[in-house]
Amino acid sequence: MSSRLLLNRDFSRFWLSQVLTSVASKSMTMVFPLLATISFAATPFEVGVVAAAQYVPVLVVTLFIGMWLDRRPRRPTLLFTDVAGGAALLVIPVLSGLDEFHLGMLYVVAFGFGSLVAIAEVCAQAYLPSLVRESDLVAAIGRLEAVSTLVVVAAPGLGGLLMNWLGGSGAVLTGAVLYLLAALILATVTRREPPVVAPAREGVASEIAAGARFLLSVPLLRTLIGQAALFNFFEQAMLTLYTVYAASVVGITPALLGLTVTLGAIGSLLGAVTAEQAERKWGLRRVVVASMAIASVAPVLIPLATEPTAFTVTIWSVSFVMYGFGLTVYNVFSTSTRQRLTPDGLRGRVAATTRLVAYGPLSAGTLLGGGLGSLFGARTGLWIAVALLVAAFLHFLVAMRRTQMPDQQTEPELAK
């Protein structure tokens, strides 16, 4: 990691605030459904609605917030989401104390909180380049990716523990405190953002579409985001079938099943800390292609095992470590390359469009996995999903060979 980055107090404060909000938000993905189940004896469908309410805002508000961010400084918006997120969570313990809390209110809080999380994630990506030098961008994104990976794996479990230790209101109150503390830390950042040059107003649809037009106009970004969408689609099919195959066919216990996935965080950490050196040694094209190859091919190990033995757990763990390493390195360079090539006046909309394209296929991929399992059985369906991941990589390999690298491209013009 760049020594300048370690000495950058403003980035360190931003990073710490992101750690706190990430822990709180990802913990709530476990706390809210548990709250519905325990406090209201909710049906499985009602629990599903609570869980979905946190993710639907990604599809609803993401593109609009990108347009908003390209017209004003990002830090005030990020501060607002931290304070508002804490306030939204405080609603639950307050209403519970007044004996006025009910399932309908949980739906509302989950959707409102999910909207703030969606806004903050786009805003953080657009804000980051104003805090670090371009030469430190890869290291900065790597540091954020390392935290993101650990939090995604560990925070839901932490939410369950908080529910056990503190009860529903106590767990949510803890999340609210973390959000408000993050706001206080972010408020101490002293570096000023560069002036925002707002684009000419051309109507909401046209301005939102500018992010997509820019991504399509830069061959490298188009290739990277296209692969991200394909990978996420087939990855979700694979992960859905992995759970069914491991638990129902092979007979691995839930604890060991969770362990194999959790160990993927080790690979992600290794990827985050080695990404910068890898680019310097091998160059952007080779690193991006190699990292995606590792992430796409590693799951081939999963359907090879058929018995609930220590060897099976070992090779599955190795698979997820490799998968986590490759995916994290790819994400670091995909994000940093997009940040370097995107003009500041488009960063909000481009980040929003990227998130929509990359994460939009997740739910469809889950359905694909379920369909493959129903038609062909868990193991055969898993082989098909893995084969589709590899096929997507081969398409990406051909596309990257035909794609110009940043130093070969002229400066992209600012789309309106």
Side-chain angles (χ1 to χ4, degrees), residues 34 158-168 171:
L34 284 176
L158 175 62
L161 291 175
L162 289 174
M163 285 283 292
N164 185 58
W165 294 336
L166 306 174

Side-chain angles (χ1 to χ4, degrees), residues 25-45:
S25 64
K26 296 303 184 290
S27 295
M28 293 306 109
T29 63
M30 178 67 73
V31 170
F32 285 171
L34 284 176
L35 200 56
T37 302
I38 296 171
S39 299
F40 303 111
T43 66
F45 175 77

Side-chain angles (χ1 to χ4, degrees), residues 161-181:
L161 291 175
L162 289 174
M163 285 283 292
N164 185 58
W165 294 336
L166 306 174
S169 293
V172 177
L173 180 61
T174 301
V177 171
L178 291 178
Y179 257 84
L180 296 176
L181 181 58

Side-chain angles (χ1 to χ4, degrees), residues 376-394:
F376 304 106
R379 191 182 187 209
T380 301
L382 186 57
W383 272 118
I384 295 172
V386 170
L388 290 171
L389 267 178
V390 175
F393 164 71
L394 294 176

Side-chain angles (χ1 to χ4, degrees), residues 359-374:
Y359 293 111
L362 294 180
S363 57
T366 301
L367 294 175
L368 173 65
L372 290 174
S374 298

Side-chain angles (χ1 to χ4, degrees), residues 46-395:
E46 290 169 334
V47 173
V49 172
V50 171
Q54 299 177 75
Y55 296 111
V56 168
V58 173
L59 302 176
V60 177
V61 307
T62 298
L63 293 178
F64 292 97
I65 197 60
M67 182 181 68
W68 165 275
L69 291 172
D70 283 337
R71 293 190 172 280
R72 50 193 43 83
R74 287 77 188 239
R75 179 169 167 267
T77 303
L78 203 53
L79 277 169
F80 168 78
T81 59
D82 287 351
V83 174
L89 293 179
L90 282 174
V91 168
I92 292 179
V94 169
L95 290 181
S96 295
L98 298 172
D99 201 24
E100 295 291 337
F101 189 49
H102 51 81
L103 185 60
M105 184 57 66
L106 182 58
Y107 292 153
V108 173
V109 172
F111 181 81
F113 181 69
S115 298
L116 292 167
V117 171
I119 293 169
E121 288 178 345
V122 174
C123 189
Q125 289 194 21
Y127 179 50
L128 175 60
S130 66
L131 290 176
V132 300
R133 299 182 183 184
E134 184 174 317
S135 58
D136 292 331
L137 195 57
V138 170
I141 292 172
R143 192 170 177 181
L144 289 171
E145 279 288 330
V147 170
S148 176
T149 299
L150 284 177
V151 168
V152 166
V153 171
L158 175 62
L161 291 175
L162 289 174
M163 285 283 292
N164 185 58
W165 294 336
L166 306 174
S169 293
V172 177
L173 180 61
T174 301
V177 171
L178 291 178
Y179 257 84
L180 296 176
L181 181 58
L184 289 175
I185 293 172
L186 185 62
T188 65
V189 172
T190 57
R191 182 162 183 162
R192 294 184 178 181
E193 294 181 66
V196 176
V197 180
R201 292 190 178 276
E202 296 187 2
V204 173
S206 179
E207 290 189 38
I208 290 176
R213 288 201 304 269
F214 179 82
L215 283 174
L216 292 174
S217 71
V218 182
L220 179 58
L221 298 184
R222 185 172 65 237
T223 301
L224 292 175
I225 189 60
Q227 175 60 18
L230 282 175
F231 182 89
N232 286 343
F233 180 50
F234 297 132
E235 173 207 38
Q236 282 302 302
M238 180 272 293
L239 291 175
T240 299
L241 286 166
Y242 171 64
T243 302
V244 176
Y245 177 67
S248 301
V249 178
V250 177
I252 293 293
T253 65
L256 289 176
L257 174 61
L259 176 64
T260 60
V261 178
T262 301
L263 287 175
I266 296 175
S268 296
L269 282 175
L270 291 173
V273 300
T274 60
E276 188 177 15
Q277 293 81 3
E279 183 190 25
R280 292 174 180 172
K281 186 172 182 179
W282 291 299
L284 178 62
R285 188 195 303 269
R286 290 180 180 176
V287 171
V288 168
V289 170
S291 61
M292 181 48 65
I294 294 171
S296 301
V297 175
V300 169
L301 295 175
I302 295 174
L304 291 176
T306 59
E307 300 293 334
T309 63
F311 177 73
T312 293
V313 174
T314 299
I315 65 169
W316 284 356
S317 298
V318 169
S319 174
F320 277 101
V321 168
M322 294 170 59
Y323 158 86
F325 174 84
L327 187 57
T328 299
V329 172
Y330 182 85
N331 285 340
V332 167
F333 284 108
S334 179
T335 303
S336 62
T337 300
R338 189 185 73 242
Q339 298 281 32
R340 284 196 295 246
L341 295 181
T342 304
D344 186 68
L346 273 175
R347 280 205 173 104
R349 283 169 288 174
V350 169
T353 304
T354 299
R355 289 188 65 80
L356 184 65
V357 173
Y359 293 111
L362 294 180
S363 57
T366 301
L367 294 175
L368 173 65
L372 290 174
S374 298
L375 289 173
F376 304 106
R379 191 182 187 209
T380 301
L382 186 57
W383 272 118
I384 295 172
V386 170
L388 290 171
L389 267 178
V390 175
F393 164 71
L394 294 176
H395 174 269

